[in-house]
Amino acid sequence: MRYITGGIALGSALILGSLVGAGATASATPAPAPAAQQSLYAPSALVLTVGQGDKAASAGVQRAVTLNCMPKPSGTHPDARGACDQLRAANGNFAEITKIKSGTACTKEWNPFVVTAEGVWEGQRVKYEHTFANPCEMKAGKGTVFEF
């Protein structure tokens, strides 16, 4: 009887050992990478440029900055908070921001400057380009967003 009990114990140990070994092998495989975490905020990240010329494709870029507005204003823009506030007030409408203030007196010279915005504003893709006829018009219409 003693031999039978010992045989059963040995058999049970072998079965349990193989199950534990299989479990250890299964747990040793790396877990799949977790999916990218979803942000609570719609993304708002832009690249803004100012260049001399009449079209973005042919203008020489003079300055460029980054602007992130969510979850908090940041980037290389010198007044990120002010630029984000201006964009929010205009509901992301860049045409509203680059509108030349009424009553502005500028010469009629043709010395064009172009401003661009590319990226994402509140989860929507943005690609905006506006040409000012000269530096006077640009100063009157660039707002805080293109003030860099």
Side-chain angles (χ1 to χ4, degrees):
M1 179 94 167
R2 193 166 122 174
Y3 294 112
I4 294 174
T5 308
I8 292 174
L10 180 61
S12 298
L14 287 174
I15 291 172
L16 286 175
S18 66
L19 289 176
V20 170
T25 305
S27 65
T29 52
Q37 290 185 356
Q38 296 293 322
S39 173
L40 299 176
Y41 306 99
S44 291
L46 300 164
V47 175
L48 308 170
T49 67
V50 173
Q52 189 166 12
D54 60 344
K55 294 181 182 167
S58 60
V61 176
Q62 294 181 327
R63 297 179 300 279
V65 296
T66 58
L67 178 65
N68 300 307
C69 293
M70 287 295 177
K72 63 180 184 169
S74 63
T76 60
H77 195 288
D79 185 8
R81 182 175 307 283
C84 290
D85 289 346
Q86 187 178 36
L87 276 167
R88 280 191 202 98
N91 292 319
N93 184 352
F94 286 90
E96 181 70 29
I97 292 168
T98 56
K99 190 183 297 183
I100 297 173
K101 314 303 182 261
S102 62
T104 301
C106 290
T107 63
K108 298 290 182 184
E109 72 177 301
W110 181 247
N111 182 11
F113 280 82
V114 64
V115 295
T116 66
E118 287 191 57
V120 178
W121 174 254
E122 294 187 349
Q124 300 297 313
R125 290 186 187 276
V126 172
K127 185 169 183 161
Y128 178 77
E129 177 178 328
H130 180 78
T131 303
F132 294 103
N134 54 52
C136 176
E137 283 190 5
M138 187 173 90
K139 184 175 181 180
K142 65 183 172 183
T144 307
V145 174
F146 293 103
E147 180 67 44
F148 52 87

